[in-house]
Amino acid sequence: QLVESGGGLVQPGGSLRLSCAASGSIANLNVMNWYRQAPGKERELVAEIRVGGTTNYADSARDRFTISKDNAKNTLYLQMNGLKPEDTAVYYCHFQRMGINYWGQGTEVTVSS
């Protein structure tokens, strides 16, 4: 089970830190991801973190967002800075294990003045 939190309403240029708490150990997961889905758009990958700590970002997130995880707390994070209205979306954490996709319920982020 994955439970996201930390979303909300923020002004352009503001920051939010999203959290995704897992019910089991995340230490050995090959990859964990943050996705987002804006109204009327397809779900898109925002950032990923691999088991060794390597990170990758969508072009839209690079230099503004930072993905990290705390294996001891079984929690994935997404620090979002310099938020823009186009970052408005529902954000989901995700991982895949043995061919099965696991998703959280999502946390809504709205960037608006």
Side-chain angles (χ1 to χ4, degrees), residues 15-42:
S15 298
L16 284 175
R17 187 195 195 201
L18 307 184
S19 299
C20 171
S23 58
S25 174
I26 66 171
N28 295 319
L29 291 175
N30 287 330
V31 182
M32 291 193 77
N33 309 296
W34 283 101
Y35 281 80
R36 69 184 181 188
Q37 188 165 18
K41 296 188 176 181
E42 293 186 354

Side-chain angles (χ1 to χ4, degrees), residues 65-85:
F65 293 3
T66 302
I67 187 171
S68 63
K69 64 176 183 170
D70 186 331
N71 290 334
K73 295 182 178 180
N74 294 322
T75 302
L76 179 72
Y77 301 100
L78 185 68
Q79 177 66 44
M80 305 187 295
N81 300 325
L83 283 161
K84 305 175 181 180

Side-chain angles (χ1 to χ4, degrees), residues 71-113:
N71 290 334
K73 295 182 178 180
N74 294 322
T75 302
L76 179 72
Y77 301 100
L78 185 68
Q79 177 66 44
M80 305 187 295
N81 300 325
L83 283 161
K84 305 175 181 180
E86 51 263 44
D87 295 318
T88 294
V90 179
Y91 285 71
Y92 301 89
C93 59
H94 164 270
F95 70 91
Q96 187 181 81
R97 177 184 280 152
M98 299 182 68
I100 299 172
N101 289 301
Y102 295 85
W103 296 94
Q105 84 290 349
T107 185
E108 188 168 3
V109 172
T110 302
V111 185
S112 175
S113 55

